[in-house]
Amino acid sequence: MTRTTSAVARALERIGRLDPALHAFIEVWPEEALAREREAAARRLPLGGLPFAVKGPSGIRSFAARRLIAAGGSPVGATSVPGPGTHWQTWGLGAHGRTVNPWRADRTPGGSSAGSAVAVATGMAELATGSDGAGSVRIPAAWCGVFGLKTTNGLLPSPDRSGLASAGVLARSAAAAEPYLRHVLGGGRPDVAPALPLPLSPPVPLSLPLPAVYSEDLGFAEVDPEVAAVVRAAVDRLVAAGTVRLLGRDAALLDPVGAWTAVRGGSPDDPEAVRVRRTNDERLDALLAGGALLLTPVTPNRPHGHEGPGDFYSTALTWAFNLSGHPAASLPAGFTGDGCPVGLQLAAARGADVRLLAAARAVEDALPAAPVPPTDGRAG
């Protein structure tokens, strides 16, 4: 469906009005965005000028951005990432200052794809590229109340030499993320994306209920009881709706913190790291056998303040899948009593990205529609 020029104009108007308070962008490209939209319409390209944002200063050169542009997408700007010299646990620094959570300005949106999550949550872009080396797509998606997908490691070029980081996408919903999989991953069709180094599992029709394993803590994490309760309520709703069927499998992994740190530090052959990775790979393969999903909270905690998380690892439930390579997604699950969004994580077998997106759409259909943040008087 071809979009009119109003799509990009609308996105740019929102950026101009909202970003001085949210600080989601480091650069905005109005003339280029409008020109690409006109070109997409003239050439009848499939995305028709869809306005999207790219993560960080190098995002426009990424494989994903180039594929989206080739399909008629129109990049409107580069989103915030942690500032120079900051610790990897920080969140985002936009052109106007520190990136803020659109639901609560006193809280972080998560990182490092901070600005990408804020941009899609507030309608400043219809989707945004991201990258995820420990949870950097899924955590900001969870804390901003949007959809986020980390693709199978190795499926797309990695921005990280360790191989832990995988490309990803953030969008208002799983349905809104479909253009990314169709045009960046090729939707499982090798003729569309012949350069992909790993194959995608071909899409197959979903049969409900979906087999799933639920774990609050993966066997080792300390989870905020209210966060756990929000996610468990969402899972119970999925069961009641006939969307998922819980299996009696024990999701007990080894804490990956030491292994992740060793690999990130350039020591992938560290004996303990090798042991942890091998053990967790075997356990995850057993858990996900037969097309099962693994359901967990995205983070063990709610969004923290801008002073930082201290010694608490917001990544406790996400980085196991960076080590193992499995695709994983974050979907809005609800809110804590103090107004903080909570994410439900779905993980699937390696290469099952297309099926994971289809499962995420089924899950979305069974859960209440995710509200939009009240940044400008829109209904929440």
Side-chain angles (χ1 to χ4, degrees):
M1 177 178 174
T2 302
R3 293 173 177 269
T4 66
T5 55
S6 63
V8 168
R10 195 160 52 245
L12 292 170
E13 184 276 331
R14 295 188 69 80
I15 293 171
R17 180 159 47 86
L18 301 178
D19 199 51
L22 295 170
H23 314 160
F25 284 86
I26 55 175
E27 295 179 11
V28 181
W29 310 312
E31 293 82 8
E32 297 94 328
L34 290 166
R36 287 191 188 277
E37 184 183 40
R38 290 192 294 269
E39 179 185 6
R43 295 176 58 192
R44 297 187 178 183
L45 295 174
L47 291 183
L50 179 143
F52 72 96
V54 299
K55 177 183 177 179
S58 63
I60 194 64
R61 300 191 297 273
S62 68
F63 179 87
R66 288 184 280 116
R67 294 286 295 181
L68 291 170
I69 291 170
S74 185
V76 295
T79 58
S80 65
V81 292
T86 54
H87 194 268
W88 65 269
Q89 284 184 316
T90 55
W91 28 97
L93 184 65
H96 302 285
R98 185 175 57 199
T99 311
V100 301
N101 191 305
W103 289 99
R104 285 193 50 165
D106 64 330
R107 304 295 176 94
T108 171
S112 61
S113 304
S116 288
V118 175
V120 299
T122 55
M124 293 190 283
E126 294 196 22
L127 61 81
T129 65
S131 59
D132 187 317
S136 293
V137 164
R138 289 161 288 162
I139 293 171
W143 287 355
C144 292
V146 299
F147 175 80
L149 170 69
K150 178 199 86 70
T151 58
T152 297
N153 289 50
L155 194 62
L156 295 170
S158 175
D160 176 48
R161 291 182 180 179
S162 72
L164 291 171
S166 184
V169 61
L170 298 103
R172 279 291 306 161
S173 65
E178 284 194 344
Y180 182 96
L181 265 73
R182 187 180 310 119
H183 298 288
V184 177
L185 296 185
R189 293 164 45 197
D191 58 307
V192 175
L196 296 182
L198 293 178
L200 279 170
S201 298
V204 294
L206 291 180
S207 178
L208 302 182
L210 302 169
V213 179
Y214 172 68
S215 176
E216 176 183 304
D217 57 10
L218 290 178
F220 59 83
E222 295 183 13
V223 180
D224 178 326
E226 191 174 358
V227 168
V230 170
V231 174
R232 182 70 218 204
V235 172
D236 289 344
R237 187 180 185 110
L238 295 175
V239 172
T243 303
V244 303
R245 171 176 57 88
L246 295 183
L247 305 174
R249 300 176 185 173
D250 183 19
L253 303 184
L254 300 180
D255 190 341
V257 58
W260 187 95
T261 303
V263 174
R264 179 69 171 179
S267 301
D269 297 327
D270 174 81
E272 180 61 12
V274 171
R275 183 187 74 85
V276 170
R277 295 186 79 176
R278 181 181 297 120
T279 300
N280 282 353
D281 282 354
E282 292 173 354
R283 294 179 182 179
L284 284 169
D285 288 344
L287 288 170
L288 299 172
L293 299 171
L294 177 56
L295 312 179
T296 77
V298 174
T299 64
N301 55 329
R302 66 193 76 196
H304 53 73
H306 292 283
E307 72 283 354
D311 296 329
F312 201 87
Y313 286 107
S314 303
T315 54
L317 296 169
T318 51
W319 51 8
F321 305 108
N322 298 92
L323 281 167
S324 68
H326 292 84
S330 172
L331 287 84
F335 291 80
T336 56
D338 56 353
C340 293
V342 174
L344 166 66
Q345 180 170 227
L346 279 65
R350 298 178 192 87
D353 301 57
V354 174
R355 186 176 186 278
L356 176 58
L357 185 68
R361 290 200 63 174
V363 167
E364 281 182 346
D365 289 344
L367 295 177
V372 295
T375 51
D376 61 344
R378 292 185 298 168

